Amino acid sequence: MQQRNGSTVQVRNLVKRFGSFVAVDDVSLDVSRGEIFGFLGPNGAGKSTTIRILCGLLAPTSGQALVYGFDVAKEPERVKQSIGYMSQRFSLYDDLTVEENIEFFSGVYGVPREKRAERKAYAMKMAGLEGEHDRMTRLLAGGWKQRLALGCAILHEPPIVFLDEPTSGVDPMARRQFWDLIYEMAEGGTTVFVTTHYMEEAEYCHRLALMYKGRTIALGTPAELKKQQGVGSTMDDVFIASIEREEARAQ
Amino acid sequence: MWERIREMIRKEFRQTLREPRMRGILIVPPLLQTIIFGFAVNLDVEHVRIGWLDDDRTAESRTLQHGFAANRTFELSREASSERVAQDMLDRGEVQAVVRVPPGFSRDLKSGRQAEVQVLLDGSNSNTAAIIGNYAASIIAARNRELLQDRQREKLVGRTQNGPVLLRLPAIEPDRRVWFNPELRSRNYFVPGVIVNIITLVTLMLTALSIVREKEIGTMEQIMVTPIRPIELMLGKTIPFALIGMFDMLLVTGIALLIFHVPLRGSFVLLGCASALFLLSTLGIGLFMSTISETQQQAMMGSFFFFQPAFMLSGFSFPIRNMPEPVQWVTYLNPLRYFMDIVRGVFLKGSGVDVLWPQMAMLGIMGVLILTFSAMRFHKRLD
């Protein structure tokens, strides 16, 4: 569809202020189709705020962001038709069954009737919950719940998916399985935006932006970033050095 | 569009009806309130305990005492030996009134002068005190009439050649209970009012709480990133509670008719239509509460902050015409006031649209205004 310069997400000088607090400070980036783009940074760095702006949930204070060619400030509803979003909290209804959650989100996403059954089966399989239709969502363990949340977020087959700390509070095994799903989606041509504060997850991304105090302080592939830092560096080194540079610059 | 709304409604009903606590909220408060107002709340005054302080101690004072004792409104608790004791009885709430017959009562009566009886009332509940005062006055007045009749009779009984002739005086017994149609009256008055109470509470609270709950658990954010339109989201979040409000209206009406035999003299269809109009306001306010609340506690507090004064000023228990004028003006902004008028009018007076159209028009106008205002505040953004 509408893509410019081959990228599906274009961000230019994005700023978001809450009163006097600058949550997102002049962020610019481009993400192309099928890419897994990571936002790495400590809590409060502005990762979630940026993602929420890109999802049309928050209005930017200044700057521009195009998602799938639509301006998030002017056409947030068009943006919403092209994206899937999964927040940190695996926002499912605990008091509905697995199947009822899927049916509800299919309905509000406007999945065509004839595709519902197929998408439902896909989501159930993806979550590893085949045959568990009537299971209450509240009774699911973290990993299953997380995968079901992802399944519910992509029922309408969005070309871009935003995942806000999708693996927080999930055990390493489930985290690994979840990343397999992310790779699967990316191979299928879906653009995946993911925020994390786990260093090892940063390595899984095709490209990364390090965020600190609202700014992107480093941007590149994990290999590039480590190489810049010096031979034998780890992501941890990159991260710490970047923050130190930023602190020095700020002073 | 309807597809999405239907999905929202289905989800809302599933959640509401699955939770035993929520199911309880739909049924128990209407039942409880109807029963309380039907059985327990009785403004008719009965079994009033009174003390008796007789400083005259004559046949006349005792006759008056019998008059009180024979009346089923009063129960003579005990005689006070002195004013101090009488005071004490009132203070401790042992009696609600003390009747004091002053010395010289009998002498005054016999000499044809005005004889006085003092009634000391516990005024802490002014309403009851006034009613007790009225009853006491009516008993004293009755005794007064008897005395007058006796006096008249003495004058009219004259001697003829054939012996004494008794002339019969026409005695008109006044009905002392014109004001207080015992038992039935307050029940008929209050039970229909419960409809107003329940619809307001259920629709206001459930709407506000269900939206804020989704904010709390994060699903609201999830819904906001879907292509659902604000109007669809709003309708999806209000229609279920409108239906539940209607269900509760039917429930209360059913109990009122079947258990309490409250007359429904007007049209049920009119009652239904008026309820629907009224719902616009309460749902709108519920929606508004959800836009200013981040947590369920806040939503709860906000709802009560509106509900309590609105209910007090609805005319449910305190007649609006008795309120100070500025307060009366405020009640014109209260949708509950109009709905209360309609409900009582339909139930008790059998009023139709020809009489109630101004109230219905006001409900319609207020409902549309409130809903529009809330809808404008209700958008799919987090900031």
Side-chain angles (χ1 to χ4, degrees):
Chain A
M1 244 163 90
Q2 290 154 282
Q3 296 172 22
R4 296 174 204 173
N5 313 329
S7 27
T8 50
V9 178
Q10 285 181 293
V11 180
R12 292 286 172 272
N13 309 106
L14 195 69
V15 175
K16 177 66 182 177
R17 286 201 193 89
F18 295 107
S20 62
F21 174 69
V22 187
V24 178
D25 190 0
D26 198 25
V27 167
S28 299
L29 47 90
D30 285 278
V31 181
S32 41
R33 183 170 180 274
E35 192 170 20
I36 301 174
F37 189 88
F39 264 142
L40 182 68
N43 289 326
K47 297 170 299 190
S48 296
T49 307
T50 309
I51 284 216
R52 283 176 172 163
I53 294 172
L54 296 180
C55 291
L57 284 171
L58 291 171
T61 309
S62 66
Q64 197 191 35
L66 299 180
V67 172
Y68 212 59
F70 302 114
D71 189 318
V72 295
K74 295 180 190 129
E75 306 168 283
E77 295 310 311
R78 303 291 293 274
V79 169
K80 284 169 188 176
Q81 285 166 5
S82 340
I83 60 161
Y85 168 68
M86 177 181 158
S87 77
Q88 304 170 29
R89 295 190 277 183
F90 313 158
S91 307
L92 297 166
Y93 293 97
D94 267 347
D95 48 357
L96 294 183
T97 64
V98 169
E99 185 174 32
E100 286 165 350
N101 263 300
I102 296 175
E103 283 173 354
F104 171 71
F105 284 109
S106 286
V108 291
Y109 276 119
V111 174
R113 284 209 165 275
E114 61 278 10
K115 287 197 85 175
R116 296 256 172 105
E118 179 206 321
R119 294 305 293 164
K120 190 204 289 185
Y122 174 81
M124 302 271 296
K125 181 163 172 288
M126 188 172 143
L129 288 167
E130 293 122 309
E132 304 268 6
H133 298 73
D134 294 332
R135 193 75 172 273
M136 267 301 172
T137 307
R138 103 164 55 84
L139 302 175
L140 296 179
W144 278 274
K145 211 165 159 180
Q146 168 208 41
R147 287 194 297 273
L148 179 60
L150 178 63
C152 286
I154 59 166
L155 285 166
H156 54 308
E157 302 176 84
I160 304 172
V161 178
F162 293 94
L163 308 173
D164 192 5
E165 306 217 346
T167 53
S168 60
V170 172
D171 64 77
M173 183 63 195
R175 213 184 289 164
R176 182 66 242 183
Q177 287 177 330
F178 192 76
W179 273 92
D180 289 340
L181 290 177
I182 294 181
Y183 274 110
E184 228 171 82
M185 287 195 294
E187 275 158 26
T190 307
T191 305
V192 181
F193 242 85
V194 58
T195 73
T196 181
H197 52 244
Y198 294 114
M199 289 302 162
E200 79 268 20
E201 283 190 355
E203 306 263 7
Y204 303 152
C205 299
H206 294 153
R207 244 167 11 113
L208 270 183
L210 292 191
M211 276 199 96
Y212 183 67
K213 292 189 175 171
R215 307 178 65 92
T216 47
I217 57 174
L219 184 71
T221 65
E224 276 168 15
L225 290 172
K226 281 188 284 191
K227 204 168 127 200
Q228 281 167 17
Q229 186 59 35
V231 183
S233 303
T234 63
M235 271 322 286
D236 274 327
D237 300 333
V238 175
F239 190 57
I240 290 161
S242 305
I243 287 176
E244 279 168 355
R245 266 201 305 279
E246 174 65 15
E247 286 291 339
R249 191 196 63 85
Q251 280 170 13
Chain B
M1 171 164 181
W2 290 110
E3 169 77 40
R4 288 207 186 94
I5 296 172
R6 206 169 45 234
E7 207 60 55
M8 290 284 299
I9 295 173
R10 181 185 301 162
K11 183 216 81 173
E12 220 59 58
F13 272 116
R14 271 177 174 161
Q15 289 181 302
T16 308
L17 298 180
R18 180 163 294 153
E19 182 94 35
R21 219 169 16 157
M22 286 300 282
R23 276 204 304 260
I25 288 177
L26 303 186
I27 310 254
V28 176
L31 276 180
L32 213 59
Q33 287 216 15
T34 318
I35 287 168
I36 287 173
F37 283 109
F39 282 124
V41 176
N42 192 345
L43 290 190
D44 305 321
V45 177
E46 276 175 2
H47 309 298
V48 178
R49 274 166 294 119
I50 56 168
W52 194 264
L53 175 57
D54 193 346
D55 288 338
D56 194 48
R57 302 196 172 277
T58 56
E60 278 73 20
S61 69
R62 266 190 301 281
T63 312
L64 185 64
Q65 186 178 3
H66 291 316
F68 273 89
N71 190 295
R72 78 181 184 104
T73 309
F74 294 106
E75 277 172 24
L76 273 177
S77 159
R78 68 182 168 110
E79 289 200 30
S81 49
S82 71
E83 210 154 328
R84 269 251 322 280
V85 176
Q87 175 99 46
D88 191 49
M89 285 160 76
L90 273 175
D91 282 350
R92 283 189 285 122
E94 199 180 302
V95 294
Q96 285 163 276
V98 172
V99 180
R100 175 173 175 264
V101 186
F105 173 76
S106 150
R107 196 187 55 226
D108 286 347
L109 271 185
K110 282 180 183 153
S111 63
R113 263 174 300 179
Q114 174 134 8
E116 286 179 345
V117 175
Q118 192 178 27
V119 182
L120 302 165
L121 292 165
D122 175 356
S124 49
N125 182 338
S126 56
N127 200 29
T128 317
I131 295 169
I132 296 173
N134 274 327
Y135 275 128
S138 71
I139 293 174
I140 294 166
R143 178 74 195 115
N144 204 16
R145 272 195 307 277
E146 281 171 36
L147 285 166
L148 267 173
Q149 283 175 11
D150 289 351
R151 189 92 27 93
Q152 291 283 357
R153 211 169 283 142
E154 270 170 37
K155 285 182 188 162
L156 286 168
V157 175
R159 281 193 171 275
T160 63
Q161 289 132 324
N162 305 330
V165 172
L166 192 62
L167 294 175
R168 187 172 284 257
L169 274 176
I172 300 164
E173 266 303 306
D175 180 6
R176 287 196 304 268
R177 295 207 139 204
V178 179
W179 287 24
F180 309 106
N181 178 5
E183 283 179 346
L184 268 173
R185 167 113 192 219
S186 42
R187 176 181 292 175
N188 287 357
Y189 189 65
F190 282 118
V191 170
V194 171
I195 291 177
V196 182
N197 190 359
I198 285 297
I199 290 191
T200 313
L201 210 57
V202 166
T203 53
L204 176 71
M205 295 270 244
L206 290 185
T207 307
L209 285 182
S210 87
I211 296 174
V212 176
R213 192 164 61 114
E214 295 219 24
K215 278 195 198 175
E216 275 185 353
I217 59 177
T219 45
M220 190 48 86
E221 199 173 317
Q222 199 65 49
I223 291 179
M224 281 175 175
V225 293
T226 70
I228 195 169
R229 275 179 289 176
I231 181 76
E232 295 166 342
L233 182 52
M234 254 180 56
L235 289 173
K237 273 290 180 191
T238 48
I239 291 173
F241 305 113
L243 294 176
I244 288 171
M246 283 303 219
F247 165 79
D248 279 339
M249 189 273 282
L250 286 175
L251 186 67
V252 176
T253 307
I255 301 172
L257 298 181
L258 295 176
I259 299 183
F260 295 111
H261 306 291
V262 173
L264 175 55
R265 300 199 171 100
S267 144
F268 179 74
V269 176
L270 178 61
L271 188 66
C273 293
S275 303
L277 282 176
F278 177 62
L279 283 171
L280 298 178
S281 299
T282 54
L283 294 172
I285 295 164
L287 218 51
F288 174 75
M289 291 300 167
S290 78
T291 64
I292 58 167
S293 313
E294 289 304 319
T295 64
Q296 293 189 71
Q297 279 103 318
Q298 286 172 358
M300 197 81 128
M301 290 286 285
S303 302
F304 270 106
F305 189 73
F306 164 81
F307 178 73
Q308 290 288 10
F311 189 59
M312 290 293 177
L313 297 178
S314 67
F316 177 76
S317 40
F318 315 115
I320 290 172
R321 61 181 175 279
N322 291 358
M323 295 173 187
E325 220 167 288
V327 178
Q328 290 195 31
W329 298 332
V330 174
T331 65
Y332 287 112
L333 294 173
N334 183 3
L336 274 72
R337 176 213 162 115
Y338 301 107
F339 191 44
M340 192 67 76
D341 276 355
I342 295 173
V343 168
R344 283 189 176 145
V346 171
F347 264 94
L348 302 178
K349 297 191 212 158
S351 309
V353 185
D354 51 329
V355 177
L356 294 172
W357 70 264
Q359 280 90 339
M360 296 187 70
M362 277 309 288
L363 281 185
I365 293 168
M366 294 186 81
V368 169
L369 285 180
I370 295 172
L371 257 186
T372 312
F373 176 72
S374 304
M376 272 159 48
R377 288 187 48 93
F378 192 80
H379 30 63
K380 284 177 65 187
R381 278 258 163 96
L382 293 170
D383 58 347

